[in-house]
Amino acid sequence: MTLDANSLGTNLWVTAVVALLVIVLPWADRKICGRLGLNLRGGVSGNPRADQLLKARQGILTAGLAVYLLIYFWLTFLSRSAMNDYAVHVAPLEDLKNAFRTDHGFSDVFSRLFTEGFSAFANVRLVRPEDLAQFYMNVMVFVPLGYLLPYTFRWFRERVWTRPVGVCFLLSFFTENMQLMSQRGLYDLDDMISNTLGGLIGQLLYIFLAYVLTHPDWRTDLRSDRAWRKGARKKALYPRRRAIGANCTQLRGTDRQAVWDFYVKKLGYRPVRHDRGSTAEDNHLMLRLGQSRIEICCDGGEGSAQPQTLCISAAGLSEIRKRLASHGIDPGGYETDPYTGRRELRFTGPDNVQIIITEAE
């Protein structure tokens, strides 16, 4: 990917646009959503039209990311014509190496750095500023992508330390190979390095700037997380925490057909196993939906006198609410989870089972 990096105005313009995006977007987002009564942390919003407004916010962010990608592909492909004399640059960091000169080589500079300190850089001279500007430009162009991906989509926020920068690398890799096949631009390993570095910077800016601005209680959350981690390593299940993802709930039922109609036909649980007992009323059902598993024992009795609760974590609570209503289940209004502050729906299933669906992060 090449831009007019030799122009100081272009460098300043791109830097200003990126800085404006990084700083103004979360600040304006928080202010506007606060005025509209929208909860960005997933909790209950004060605005009765919160679902529609949050969907509109998501659409605006997605459209902004789409505009960025259109501009990116126009710069890398559509604005160029095929080259007759095509070259491939695979030497890593060649642009930076050509931009500077030293008296005795860079290995001598780094060896003297430990004895002389930063004075070892005194004999380093900038001889090709255009190469340095080109590397800088390729970094800055990918900062918005690494920043907007987790800001816009929950899938990237779930693995915010790896997924955004990984997609930035894949996009840069795809771009360079498409340029190689179409001969529009140069296949340059430095571009992939600088683009990935830009995506990493954007990702870190989201974590340490955008998240902080949109989550005012981040200090409390961080202190709580640190306090938990301090003693968690000595707990029994902590070493296997990454292998624990599914939850299994045991319930007691009376009418097997009512249980089947509610969990399978209405909620969409998949039957995994069905064991029949010695009598026609004795049934043992294993149901699964995503990572949620339910084990229901139907014995045809009068039901359990003990309260029963089924807790589920799911994303897209507004859509789930509509689909529940379309299947004849009234979830009522949103409530607030007292532990996480997130929205949740509560309704009752067969045998007076209290079902709680909490919005996932």
Side-chain angles (χ1 to χ4, degrees):
M1 185 182 66
T2 57
L3 292 172
D4 186 13
N6 296 330
S7 171
L8 178 61
T10 301
N11 281 265
L12 293 177
W13 181 82
V14 172
T15 303
V17 170
V18 172
L20 191 68
L21 168 70
V22 168
I23 297 173
V24 173
L25 175 60
W27 175 82
D29 194 17
R30 179 181 171 184
K31 289 290 185 181
I32 295 173
C33 290
R35 287 183 176 274
L36 295 176
L38 303 180
N39 193 325
L40 292 178
R41 300 193 62 186
V44 177
S45 299
N47 194 319
R49 298 178 59 247
D51 289 343
Q52 293 86 346
L53 292 174
L54 287 173
K55 186 177 294 185
R57 171 185 176 271
Q58 180 70 28
I60 293 173
L61 291 174
T62 304
L65 181 59
V67 169
Y68 162 82
L69 291 175
L70 288 174
I71 295 174
Y72 170 78
F73 282 109
W74 181 82
L75 291 172
T76 54
F77 295 109
L78 302 180
S79 64
R80 302 178 176 186
S81 57
M83 303 170 58
N84 295 326
D85 187 14
Y86 192 79
V88 177
H89 299 158
V90 294
L93 301 179
E94 184 179 17
D95 290 340
L96 292 180
K97 180 180 178 181
N98 294 334
F100 297 96
R101 288 290 183 270
T102 63
D103 295 335
H104 304 289
F106 284 100
S107 59
D108 177 69
V109 172
F110 289 113
S111 63
R112 291 166 55 192
L113 182 63
F114 296 98
T115 57
E116 301 179 10
F118 289 103
S119 61
F121 292 101
N123 65 338
V124 178
R125 301 179 300 277
L126 178 63
V127 295
R128 289 179 57 87
E130 61 274 15
D131 287 342
L132 178 62
Q134 177 66 37
F135 187 88
Y136 172 80
M137 184 67 68
N138 282 302
V139 170
M140 293 303 296
V141 166
F142 263 63
V143 170
L145 183 62
Y147 186 81
L148 288 174
L149 285 175
Y151 201 106
T152 306
F153 300 110
R154 184 178 62 87
W155 187 81
F156 290 97
R157 292 194 294 272
E158 291 176 347
R159 297 290 186 272
V160 72
W161 291 102
T162 55
R163 287 179 178 174
V165 68
V167 169
C168 289
F169 168 77
L170 292 176
L171 178 60
S172 181
F173 180 80
F174 170 79
T175 301
E176 297 303 318
N177 281 274
M178 287 298 295
Q179 288 180 338
L180 176 63
M181 290 184 289
S182 64
Q183 296 188 354
R184 295 173 180 264
L186 301 178
Y187 184 93
D188 196 339
L189 183 60
D190 273 6
D191 285 359
M192 284 188 279
I193 295 175
S194 56
N195 292 160
T196 306
L197 178 60
L200 176 62
I201 293 173
Q203 170 183 297
L204 294 177
L205 286 172
Y206 168 78
I207 296 171
F208 294 108
L209 180 62
Y211 184 85
V212 168
L213 290 176
T214 55
H215 292 71
D217 298 331
W218 68 272
R219 290 185 178 87
T220 302
D221 296 339
L222 181 61
R223 285 195 294 267
S224 300
D225 184 69
R226 287 177 175 174
W228 169 76
R229 290 181 181 276
K230 187 176 181 180
R233 297 183 182 277
K234 298 180 181 180
K235 306 302 181 182
L237 296 179
Y238 181 83
R240 299 293 301 167
R241 65 193 185 281
R242 298 187 185 278
I244 300 174
N247 63 301
C248 183
T249 304
Q250 290 185 332
L251 302 174
R252 182 183 176 186
T254 54
D255 187 347
R256 181 259 181 197
Q257 189 60 46
V259 168
W260 184 274
D261 290 342
F262 184 80
Y263 292 101
V264 177
K265 293 186 177 180
K266 289 188 176 182
L267 295 186
Y269 274 83
R270 179 173 64 89
V272 177
R273 186 174 177 180
H274 181 198
D275 296 332
R276 296 185 181 273
S278 57
T279 63
E281 294 81 9
D282 190 8
N283 287 268
H284 188 87
L285 298 176
M286 287 289 295
L287 309 176
R288 182 167 184 171
L289 180 64
Q291 293 186 343
S292 173
R293 294 182 297 163
I294 309 176
E295 181 180 352
I296 306 177
C297 298
C298 300
D299 55 11
E302 298 180 355
S304 175
Q306 299 296 326
Q308 301 184 94
T309 304
L310 172 62
C311 297
I312 306 172
S313 178
L317 216 58
S318 59
E319 182 65 23
I320 292 175
R321 186 184 181 197
K322 294 179 182 178
R323 297 183 70 86
L324 287 173
S326 67
H327 286 79
I329 301 173
D330 182 14
Y334 294 117
E335 299 186 27
T336 302
D337 183 356
Y339 298 101
T340 64
R342 293 189 166 273
R343 297 187 302 176
E344 63 181 20
L345 296 174
R346 292 174 177 261
F347 53 96
T348 304
D351 302 295
N352 201 30
V353 176
Q354 300 301 310
I355 301 175
I356 304 172
I357 305 180
T358 304
E359 191 161 39
E361 297 183 4

